[in-house]
Amino acid sequence: MAAAPPVLRVRNLTVEFATDAGIVRAVDDVSFDVAGDETVALVGESGCGKTVTGLSLLRLVPEPPGRYAGGSIELAGRDLLALPGEALPAIRGRDVAMIFQEPMTALNPVFTIGTQMADVLRQHRGLSRSKARAEAAAMLAAVNIPDPDRRLDDYPHQLSGGMRQRVMIAMALSCRPRLLVADEPTTALDVTTQAQVLAEFRRLQQEFRTAVILVTHDLGVVAETCTRAIVMYCGSIVESGPTAELFRHPRHPYTRGLLESVPRVRAERLPELPVIPGRVPDPGRLPAGCRFADRCSRVQSRCRDARPPLQPVGAGVPVSVACFNPW
Amino acid sequence: MPIAQYALRKLLAGIPLVIGVTLVSFALMVYFGPDRTYELLGKNPTEEQIAEVRSQLGYDRPFAERYAGFLREVVTFDFGYAATGEPVATLLARTVPVSLLLILPGFVLGHLVSLGLALLAAYWRGRVADRLIMALATVGMSVSFVIVMIGFQIVFGSSDWLGWFPVRGWSTDSVGEYLRYIAVPTLATMFVAIGYDTRFYRALVAEEMTRDHVRTARAYGIPEARIFTRNILKNCLIPVITRVMFSIPSVAVGGSLLIESYFGIPGVGRATYEAIITGDQPVLKAVVTLTAILFVLVVILNDILYRVVDPRVSLE
Ligand SMILES: Nc1ncnc2c1ncn2[C@@H]1O[C@H](COP(=O)(O)OP(=O)(O)OP(=O)(O)O)[C@@H](O)[C@H]1O
Ligand code: SF4
Ligand SMILES: [Mg+2]
């Protein structure tokens, strides 16, 4: 697989925040690629840096308090982190778009859906007002919103959460981005709506042939939707590889811990990742060695001395893992 | 419901409010207002003379009857005669337009410039321009209005300084004359307004900047300047409107009173000031009543404007 060239090439991305407790490294030396036809899952516990990674792909981390401390993000051949700030609006929404977790607040309350969608279309595709409106209506129809022409004149508060998230998806796809970052797009919705919106999402990503990074807590969604998964822990990638391989043979003890409870997760549709015993280390005082050591059942003495690097497991298996003693 | 119908309904709903405020202002005038009996009678009047004058003035009638008479005055806009012999209605028709011409430009410009400066300060947050704007605002807020008027009068009016504009007085003979006479009062009003309003508006803008929808706009490539002048501005208009609307009564009464007395401008503020000094009750009654009605109108207009800018406000 992976015949398509990478749309996104992230190398050694490091993002820090200045907080009252000092500098916090939210994303620490993260590298990964996304090819043009892939849907890549980003999973990990709360606070492990998924959203900050996603925002970075649009260079949208608020600066200050945030700071890109190093690395590069190559999107379609250009390094976003090296571009001048003025160049970003032309890229955001056109080359890479983002869908946010909270559909209730992500749209502007005082403009109609049509105005907000047309703004984006006019910005990137230089359409006239009437053309942009027609295109917006077509996009709403594409995400299966009934009566799209009427919906264009609705304000966000007149729509349900599920409808608003569909509007966000329509807006995100309207300029045919190469990459779509979806940050827990269905977490805020009720279970039935979640399933509908996700089905819609899967159908559209195939129709529009967009590369997708899907941040999610739901391992069931990962299994059903994503070709590849990246597991993050404490700001770093601990394991990545094709979903099927990861589910069949999780190598990192953290990944294994998450997956062991998958049947239960899918039966109960837990909104959160399964809980693994132990606590995430305080970002201000990270251990020198492996950050998972305190919670790991396979810990060895060398795990405390050095950090395990993310390395291919070899033997022709396209999986990388950051562990001295993998399964 | 169309907006016109909504406005009409709001206006009708305002009628009891108007009756309420006129009742209160009338009661205050009856119990605390000046009693003209002794003024008219001179020294050592007899009991009969007092009773006669009181009955002429209507002071002996029951409260309800006097209030009804007062309401009739309000509705017919017939407030009787000022101490000078001029009908109060004529006096108002002569002075109110002057005050409006005097106050409105400074009022409107003050809010507009403050809002513009607030947007610029927030856009350049943390930079030199931001600090300069906020320093200017702090000065405007710290210096008393009277000092500002005197200072501007000297700087702009005195021939020793710039000498651009007249020191005091009023003329509407031509547009040019009018602009020359309102220049100093308008600049003084704006200076003080900028002091108070810029700080408030900048805080509004700064808060709106943190909203999720602003991040969405950025994520979709809307340029930063446009985000400020459109996405953020429209969301800020709701609290801005409230501030503008509710400053109308105090500016219309307090502001015009101060400016007109100081610059010798024949507006309703100065007429009120003179009426207070001389105890000219018909004029005061009219001014107090109209101010109360103005306040009610402001509240109603505020509701209607809310509806225009905020789609979440229901029409029902
Ligand atoms: N604006 C900010 N200021 C300071 N620290 C921040 C900021 N945004 C994120 N962080 C820190 O970065 C780390 C990663 O946060 P992030 O939001 O990426 O986590 P996440 O994996 O998306 O978690 P969740 O599953 O809860 O959404 C956290 O420790 C958080 O405290
Ligand atoms: S490196 Fe050691 S401590 Fe860390 S996950 Fe692997 S086995 Fe556990
Ligand atoms: Mg998150």
Side-chain angles (χ1 to χ4, degrees), chain B residues 113-126:
Chain B
V113 172
S114 301
L115 193 52
L117 286 175
L119 284 167
L120 285 175
Y123 183 77
W124 284 316
R125 59 201 167 276

Side-chain angles (χ1 to χ4, degrees), chain A:
Chain A
M1 56 155 276
V7 164
L8 177 74
R9 190 192 292 273
V10 178
R11 287 293 172 271
N12 311 106
L13 177 66
T14 302
V15 184
E16 293 177 344
F17 285 97
T19 69
D20 296 337
I23 302 285
V24 171
R25 210 165 248 210
V27 177
D28 189 1
D29 199 23
V30 161
S31 303
F32 62 95
D33 288 355
V34 178
D37 55 359
E38 274 190 310
T39 299
V40 177
L42 209 52
V43 290
E45 280 167 310
S46 186
C48 73
K50 304 180 299 291
T51 295
V52 174
T53 304
L55 289 173
S56 300
L57 304 180
L58 292 85
R59 213 169 115 187
L60 215 53
V61 172
E63 301 169 84
R67 188 175 80 90
Y68 296 100
S72 62
I73 299 171
E74 259 183 46
L75 182 72
R78 270 182 305 186
D79 180 6
L80 282 187
L81 298 187
L83 286 176
E86 307 85 74
L88 296 172
I91 293 170
R92 293 174 179 158
R94 195 195 62 186
D95 293 335
V96 51
M98 186 154 179
I99 298 172
F100 298 96
Q101 177 173 349
E102 198 36 83
M104 296 308 182
T105 54
L107 290 163
N108 194 324
V110 300
F111 291 107
T112 61
I113 303 301
T115 304
Q116 298 185 55
M117 292 187 70
D119 267 3
V120 177
L121 285 161
R122 283 157 59 79
Q123 192 68 39
H124 293 301
R125 290 172 54 184
L127 299 181
S128 69
R129 217 172 271 280
S130 56
K131 282 243 175 61
R133 193 182 154 87
E135 180 66 24
M139 284 309 300
L140 290 186
V143 296
N144 273 333
I145 291 184
D147 210 354
D149 277 308
R150 292 253 306 278
R151 292 290 82 77
L152 284 182
D153 295 321
D154 280 349
Y155 289 92
H157 74 275
Q158 292 169 290
L159 302 179
S160 67
M163 278 298 160
R164 273 184 251 192
Q165 206 56 308
R166 279 167 201 257
V167 169
M168 280 304 301
I169 296 172
M171 196 157 117
L173 292 173
S174 65
C175 294
R176 317 285 137 104
R178 296 154 188 270
L179 176 68
L180 178 59
V181 182
D183 188 2
E184 304 189 33
T186 59
T187 308
L189 308 176
D190 66 72
V191 177
T192 328
T193 319
Q194 274 189 12
Q196 289 167 356
V197 171
L198 266 172
E200 204 64 59
F201 189 78
R202 275 196 291 274
R203 185 176 66 73
L204 288 162
Q205 93 196 41
Q206 264 155 31
E207 192 178 319
F208 284 79
R209 304 202 145 276
T210 302
V212 174
I213 292 183
L214 181 65
V215 175
T216 178
H217 273 134
D218 190 335
L219 293 168
V221 169
V222 176
E224 287 163 26
T225 313
C226 301
T227 46
R228 217 149 52 81
I230 294 173
V231 183
M232 286 183 75
Y233 186 79
C234 273
S236 300
I237 298 178
V238 292
E239 184 163 4
S240 74
T243 313
E245 178 66 20
L246 236 57
F247 275 67
R248 194 180 61 77
H249 181 181
R251 288 168 171 83
H252 196 283
Y254 177 64
T255 316
R256 181 162 288 242
L258 292 181
L259 289 172
E260 264 166 4
S261 28
V262 162
R264 195 161 56 80
V265 175
R266 292 178 77 178
E268 297 172 19
R269 288 208 85 89
L270 295 179
E272 297 289 327
L273 280 181
V275 179
I276 292 174
R279 278 186 50 216
V280 185
D282 181 352
R285 276 175 289 133
L286 291 173
C290 176
R291 288 171 186 175
F292 191 59
D294 284 346
R295 300 165 76 181
C296 183
S297 56
R298 294 167 66 82
V299 61
Q300 301 171 332
S301 65
R302 62 175 166 162
C303 304
R304 308 252 180 217
D305 301 333
R307 277 191 74 190
L310 184 68
Q311 284 177 325
V313 296
V317 184
V319 170
S320 293
V321 65
C323 177
F324 290 126
N325 187 20
W327 288 91

Side-chain angles (χ1 to χ4, degrees), chain B residues 209-259:
Chain B
M209 277 167 61
T210 65
R211 301 262 188 259
D212 279 0
H213 67 78
V214 173
R215 185 176 67 179
T216 306
R218 285 203 186 104
Y220 283 87
I222 309 298
E224 197 69 9
R226 191 171 157 79
I227 291 178
F228 272 84
T229 55
R230 214 173 100 94
N231 302 42
I232 291 181
L233 181 60
K234 192 164 180 202
N235 276 282
C236 286
L237 279 186
I238 296 150
V240 168
I241 285 171
T242 308
R243 186 174 178 87
V244 171
M245 296 310 292
F246 283 90
S247 64
I248 287 177
S250 73
V251 168
V253 181
S256 77
L257 197 142
L258 207 62
I259 298 172

Side-chain angles (χ1 to χ4, degrees), chain B:
Chain B
M1 198 189 317
I3 193 76
Q5 203 184 331
Y6 178 78
L8 190 68
R9 244 180 53 167
K10 280 280 169 193
L11 283 171
L12 290 179
I15 290 176
L17 214 52
V18 171
I19 293 178
V21 292
T22 52
L23 185 60
V24 170
S25 36
F26 181 70
L28 287 175
M29 278 184 288
V30 166
Y31 292 107
F32 299 104
D35 186 329
R36 294 184 61 217
T37 315
Y38 300 94
E39 202 180 305
L40 292 175
L41 283 171
K43 288 199 174 102
N44 303 322
T46 63
E47 288 287 326
E48 294 84 67
Q49 283 174 314
I50 292 175
E52 194 190 325
V53 167
R54 291 188 73 83
S55 106
Q56 268 174 15
L57 290 169
Y59 287 0
D60 58 346
R61 312 263 175 72
F63 181 86
E65 196 184 322
R66 292 181 64 189
Y67 178 60
F70 168 71
L71 274 186
R72 191 165 49 247
E73 289 179 6
V74 174
V75 172
T76 57
F77 219 78
D78 177 8
F79 291 99
Y81 293 86
T84 55
E86 186 182 16
V88 174
T90 315
L91 180 136
L92 291 175
R94 176 169 61 79
T95 55
V96 168
V98 170
S99 295
L100 288 179
L101 284 171
L102 170 69
I103 298 288
L104 271 181
F107 182 74
V108 173
L109 286 175
H111 280 290
L112 283 181
V113 172
S114 301
L115 193 52
L117 286 175
L119 284 167
L120 285 175
Y123 183 77
W124 284 316
R125 59 201 167 276
R127 301 217 244 156
V128 182
D130 180 17
R131 297 216 190 96
L132 279 178
I133 289 171
M134 294 327 285
L136 174 77
T138 308
V139 174
M141 202 169 75
S142 328
V143 185
S144 120
F145 186 38
V146 177
I147 305 285
V148 173
M149 286 197 299
I150 297 172
F152 277 34
Q153 192 179 42
I154 292 170
V155 171
F156 292 107
S158 159
S159 51
D160 293 339
W161 290 66
L162 295 172
W164 292 345
F165 307 118
V167 172
R168 65 197 310 277
W170 182 252
S171 162
T172 49
D173 292 345
S174 70
V175 175
E177 277 292 283
Y178 162 62
L179 291 179
R180 270 165 45 74
Y181 276 99
I182 64 160
V184 176
T186 301
L187 288 172
T189 318
M190 282 174 65
F191 186 73
V192 174
I194 286 169
Y196 283 91
D197 297 332
T198 306
R199 186 166 297 276
F200 180 80
Y201 290 154
R202 189 193 181 288
L204 283 183
V205 174
E207 185 177 338
E208 200 59 38
M209 277 167 61
T210 65
R211 301 262 188 259
D212 279 0
H213 67 78
V214 173
R215 185 176 67 179
T216 306
R218 285 203 186 104
Y220 283 87
I222 309 298
E224 197 69 9
R226 191 171 157 79
I227 291 178
F228 272 84
T229 55
R230 214 173 100 94
N231 302 42
I232 291 181
L233 181 60
K234 192 164 180 202
N235 276 282
C236 286
L237 279 186
I238 296 150
V240 168
I241 285 171
T242 308
R243 186 174 178 87
V244 171
M245 296 310 292
F246 283 90
S247 64
I248 287 177
S250 73
V251 168
V253 181
S256 77
L257 197 142
L258 207 62
I259 298 172
E260 288 165 13
S261 336
Y262 185 76
F263 287 96
I265 294 167
V268 71
R270 199 175 70 166
T272 307
Y273 176 72
E274 281 159 6
I276 292 171
I277 302 279
T278 58
D280 194 343
Q281 213 190 12
V283 175
L284 287 180
K285 204 158 70 173
V287 169
V288 169
T289 308
L290 292 180
T291 309
I293 293 174
L294 176 69
F295 206 94
V296 173
L297 284 179
V298 159
V299 173
I300 295 169
L301 196 58
N302 192 55
D303 274 2
I304 295 171
L305 286 177
Y306 259 32
R307 170 62 193 88
V308 175
V309 297
D310 190 348
R312 288 163 296 186
V313 176
S314 161
L315 284 174
E316 300 314 318

